[in-house]
Amino acid sequence: MPRPMPLPLLILAVFTTGVSARVLTGRQVFDQTCQTCHARGIAGAPQFGNRGAWRTHLAKGMKVLYEHAIHGYYGYSFMPPKGGDESLTDSEVRAAVRYMVAAVRPHGLALDPHQ
């Protein structure tokens, strides 16, 4: 008969099952999730690399962009929370936002992630 697992290890196993130690980069998150809408501008999503499409979004500042990307936005466009992938961490979503914004910001303009 197999020995039972000690309680602390059992608790650890239960709470870590399905939790990944991976941390995705902004580009990886974009490729995995965001590109579904942002590659073609589906549901009003500003297209990746299109400065004109991002102009009004950028004017709101990074703080608002992060908020909409993490918690969703339902207004003149549709943005599901975390792009519809709830397994993403807030940090991974912010990295994806920074990746997309970096593709459209004027060269030489510093990106303030706290804005």
Side-chain angles (χ1 to χ4, degrees):
M1 178 171 180
R3 287 183 56 202
M5 185 180 286
L7 186 58
L9 289 179
L10 179 61
I11 291 170
L12 181 63
V14 168
F15 284 104
T16 60
T17 301
V19 175
S20 174
R22 60 122 172 95
V23 175
L24 299 174
T25 66
R27 182 178 184 155
Q28 288 171 321
V29 173
F30 176 82
D31 290 344
Q32 168 185 305
T33 303
C34 309
Q35 61 81 29
T36 302
C37 295
H38 287 278
R40 294 185 303 254
I42 294 173
Q47 279 188 288
F48 181 80
N50 182 333
R51 284 186 181 156
W54 279 89
R55 188 170 289 119
T56 58
H57 300 276
L58 293 172
K60 296 173 185 172
M62 293 300 291
K63 185 175 180 179
V64 172
L65 291 178
Y66 292 148
E67 182 75 18
H68 289 177
I70 292 168
H71 299 291
Y73 176 79
Y74 308 96
Y76 60 88
S77 62
F78 172 74
M79 173 68 200
K82 297 184 178 185
D85 185 351
E86 289 294 322
S87 72
L88 295 171
T89 66
D90 290 359
S91 294
E92 290 170 329
V93 173
R94 284 190 292 272
V97 170
R98 286 191 300 274
Y99 173 73
M100 288 186 277
V101 168
V104 296
R105 68 183 165 90
H107 295 289
L109 179 65
L111 177 63
D112 179 3
H114 304 292
Q115 183 184 30

